[in-house]
Amino acid sequence: MNEYSTAVLNGKIDAISLVLNQVLMTLSPHHAAQIAAGLAAEQEALRLEADDETPEEEIAVQERMLGLYVGLLSAVAQRG
């Protein structure tokens, strides 16, 4: 990697993920459902809108992460 090592990037991603998870857990069920629907649509469109030069691994990781967040938001929406 150029400027940042993989460990540095992973640490930053993990910290952002923890913050984001805490924020998502504070949403109302209605807002969580709205956001889940929007992210599910983004997940579906990801491959269609991907640049031909975008690595497959990058697309697959984005799909997986969006799927995980849709699942988390759906769980928050269900608690209402």
Side-chain angles (χ1 to χ4, degrees), residues 6-38:
T6 302
V8 169
L9 292 175
N10 286 339
K12 288 181 177 191
I13 291 167
D14 288 346
I16 291 168
S17 180
L18 289 171
V19 171
L20 186 54
N21 285 340
Q22 290 298 311
V23 170
L24 295 179
M25 296 303 291
T26 66
L27 292 173
S28 71
H30 176 74
H31 285 122
Q34 287 180 314
I35 296 169

Side-chain angles (χ1 to χ4, degrees), residues 23-57:
V23 170
L24 295 179
M25 296 303 291
T26 66
L27 292 173
S28 71
H30 176 74
H31 285 122
Q34 287 180 314
I35 296 169
L39 286 180
E42 292 288 337
Q43 184 183 20
E44 290 294 321
L46 197 58
R47 285 192 182 273
L48 297 173
E49 297 175 359
D51 186 298
D52 288 342
E53 296 179 18
T54 304
E56 170 61 29
E57 184 179 23

Side-chain angles (χ1 to χ4, degrees), residues 55-72:
E56 170 61 29
E57 184 179 23
E58 183 177 332
I59 295 169
V61 168
Q62 288 177 339
E63 287 176 326
R64 176 146 170 72
M65 293 306 298
L66 287 172
L68 291 171
Y69 280 112
V70 167
L72 175 63

